Amino acid sequence: MINVNGAALAYDDTGAGSPVVLVHAGIADRRMWREQIGPLAAHHRVVTLDLRGYGDSDLPTGTFAQHDDVAGLLDALGIERAALVGCSVGGAVAIDVALAHPHRVSALVLLGTTVSGHEWSDETNDLWEKVIGDVDAGDLDATAAADVRFWVVGPDRQPTDVDPALLDFAREMDRRTLAAEATADNFAMLRLDPPAIGRLGEIRVPVLVGAGAADVPDISRLADQIAAEVPVATRLPDVPDAGHLLPLERPASVNDALLTFLASAN
């Protein structure tokens, strides 16, 4: 644990070399990078963290910003600049760090990423209604199961198409986050203002962006938009038969892409 902006954040720090910080998805915690740490740490200093309110980190209190927490972690660890790798919400946080603290970021890898300020399309909302329907927000098991069914499995696959151990792990991570959210109160999370969705052209570092072909269509479209608007961006082909948590579901493909890109970006 390390104190960052008044909160204790859990992290792991492995390997040596140019720094890489891995930022987890909103339905996960730092354990989702378990397949990346070893391969990356053979060449890089690899830091994984639990964002505030996730995993082993403190529950949020007061006013805070996730992108400032990531920059604060770099300060606390004595890291001047790092490549940021983010999945889903973690990708949105990574983008926000690159915009709010551009001198701290050397490169971005964005996997199944969202973008601050993006509004989900009617198609995505309709898909949720079709695939999931109504869920009792007070039933944490049901909510976690719904999140994993929609995001990890994806709207066009069936749960039997995905490794059951992966689904169990994803549900456990998400339920832990939901339980923490249910007990957190009296806090305000500050958003990047103006948000990233209209500012992608301001990013001046190399960016690698990819998505799973079985993810919701908005995610692939966001990847296309990032690749089109960021001046130095590489768009990976959508990974076949993969959903929202690419690093867990397709670790070999992700690791190969990460190592190749980071070697060229540093």
Side-chain angles (χ1 to χ4, degrees):
M1 303 287 280
I2 195 166
N3 187 279
V4 174
N5 298 332
L9 299 187
Y11 75 102
D12 297 305
D13 190 346
T14 311
S18 58
V20 180
V21 178
L22 309 179
V23 191
H24 61 79
I27 58 171
D29 54 49
R30 74 187 194 278
R31 292 175 294 163
M32 70 162 284
W33 301 107
R34 61 189 185 184
E35 301 294 339
Q36 282 67 55
I37 293 172
L40 286 177
H43 307 276
H44 300 275
R45 180 182 180 182
V46 181
V47 177
T48 59
L49 80 152
D50 285 335
L51 295 170
R52 200 181 304 211
Y54 292 84
D56 298 316
S57 290
D58 277 356
L59 292 174
T61 58
T63 300
F64 74 103
Q66 300 283 26
H67 54 274
D68 289 338
D69 278 357
V70 174
L73 178 70
L74 296 180
D75 290 338
L77 296 179
I79 296 173
E80 183 177 353
R81 297 179 81 221
L84 303 185
V85 180
C87 179
S88 184
V89 168
V93 172
I95 292 170
D96 287 354
V97 177
L99 292 170
H101 307 279
H103 60 292
R104 310 305 301 274
V105 179
S106 60
L108 291 173
V109 180
L110 308 169
L111 304 170
T113 192
T114 58
V115 179
S116 63
H118 169 261
E119 295 185 5
W120 296 110
S121 68
D122 290 341
E123 179 185 10
T124 294
N125 295 328
D126 290 344
L127 281 170
W128 178 275
E129 290 302 318
K130 177 182 176 181
V131 176
I132 305 298
D134 292 331
V135 179
D136 178 3
D139 186 335
L140 301 186
D141 290 328
T143 303
D147 286 342
V148 170
R149 171 64 185 88
F150 191 71
W151 293 107
V152 182
V153 176
D156 295 325
R157 295 193 295 180
Q158 295 301 316
T160 52
D161 297 328
V162 183
D163 179 2
L166 170 60
L167 298 181
D168 287 343
F169 183 44
R171 280 190 291 266
E172 186 271 323
M173 286 191 292
D174 190 39
R175 193 194 185 287
R176 186 181 186 189
T177 296
L178 293 168
E181 289 176 351
T183 60
D185 57 14
N186 194 31
F187 73 93
M189 187 166 68
L190 298 178
R191 311 288 182 176
L192 188 68
D193 185 21
I197 195 65
R199 302 173 57 191
L200 295 171
E202 297 176 27
I203 297 173
R204 290 293 183 263
V205 297
V207 175
L208 181 69
V209 58
D215 208 338
V216 300
D218 272 18
I219 295 296
S220 184
R221 294 186 193 115
L222 280 172
D224 290 341
Q225 182 175 351
I226 293 166
E229 295 183 15
V230 172
V232 183
T234 300
R235 171 71 157 96
L236 293 170
D238 286 350
V239 179
D241 192 28
H244 202 52
L245 296 185
L246 274 176
L248 275 172
E249 192 171 6
R250 296 289 179 263
S253 297
V254 168
N255 293 346
D256 287 347
L258 282 173
L259 289 168
T260 300
F261 174 74
L262 292 171
S264 65
N266 288 300

